[in-house]
Amino acid sequence: ILTAFAVSIDSMVAGFAVGLKTKKTWFFAFVVAVATLLLCLLTTLLTTLIQQKHNLVFNFAGSLFLVITGIANFVKKQENTPDKLCFKQYVALGFAVGLDAGIANLSLCLLGYLQLWIPFVFAFMHFATVSFGAKIANTKLTKNIKHTNKISGIILICLGIFKLLQ
């Protein structure tokens, strides 16, 4: 759940950006949730097909993916969304926002967490944070939102290091 929350923080910023551009934020939140769910289910399926129980290589790879995803989230810059969004842009943004969740889910799968409920947690967290970000798009909190990718990155790096040390 902590991993799902960590990668969902960026989706709040995406929801915020889309909320500034359009009133169809519920649709964007839905697209992000579906894209996240599909990416996470795909990574769970692929990992299930290739994983062997208690394989140290998979554990190391999963931990390393968490650290790399955290570093990428920490150093990346927030991108602006276009003024008007069409369906293709909703889907492209949805998959871009959900990609972090897919990679984080892959790392969890490689660590041995292959439960089917985990992709649904990622999807729900993304839906909730996108919706929340869109709701606060017109509030005074906008000045405090610009560094959320740093928080997400730090959490993922710490989780990855913690898993490497286990």
Side-chain angles (χ1 to χ4, degrees), residues 24-42:
K24 294 183 181 181
T25 56
W26 65 269
F27 182 69
F28 178 63
F30 177 76
V31 169
V32 168
V34 169
T36 299
L37 180 63
L38 292 175
L39 288 166
C40 289
L41 286 173
L42 178 66

Side-chain angles (χ1 to χ4, degrees), residues 33-53:
V34 169
T36 299
L37 180 63
L38 292 175
L39 288 166
C40 289
L41 286 173
L42 178 66
T43 57
T44 300
L45 175 67
L46 292 175
T47 307
T48 302
L49 294 175
I50 63 170
Q51 184 181 31
Q52 300 170 359
K53 279 191 169 185

Side-chain angles (χ1 to χ4, degrees), residues 84-141:
K84 292 188 178 185
L85 299 173
C86 66
F87 180 75
K88 287 192 287 188
Q89 290 169 319
Y90 276 118
V91 172
L93 282 169
F95 274 94
V97 169
L99 189 59
D100 280 352
I103 294 169
N105 185 64
L106 174 63
S107 68
L108 291 176
C109 291
L110 291 173
L111 291 168
Y113 301 105
L114 292 166
Q115 293 83 6
L116 193 56
W117 59 268
I118 293 174
F120 290 93
V121 171
F122 277 104
F124 173 77
M125 287 290 226
H126 273 68
F127 181 83
T129 55
V130 166
S131 298
F132 180 70
K135 293 291 182 201
I136 62 171
N138 293 316
T139 66
K140 293 181 182 180
L141 296 175

Side-chain angles (χ1 to χ4, degrees), residues 10-32:
D10 283 348
S11 63
M12 181 178 66
V13 176
F16 176 80
V18 169
L20 291 174
K21 307 288 182 186
T22 182
K23 298 290 183 194
K24 294 183 181 181
T25 56
W26 65 269
F27 182 69
F28 178 63
F30 177 76
V31 169
V32 168

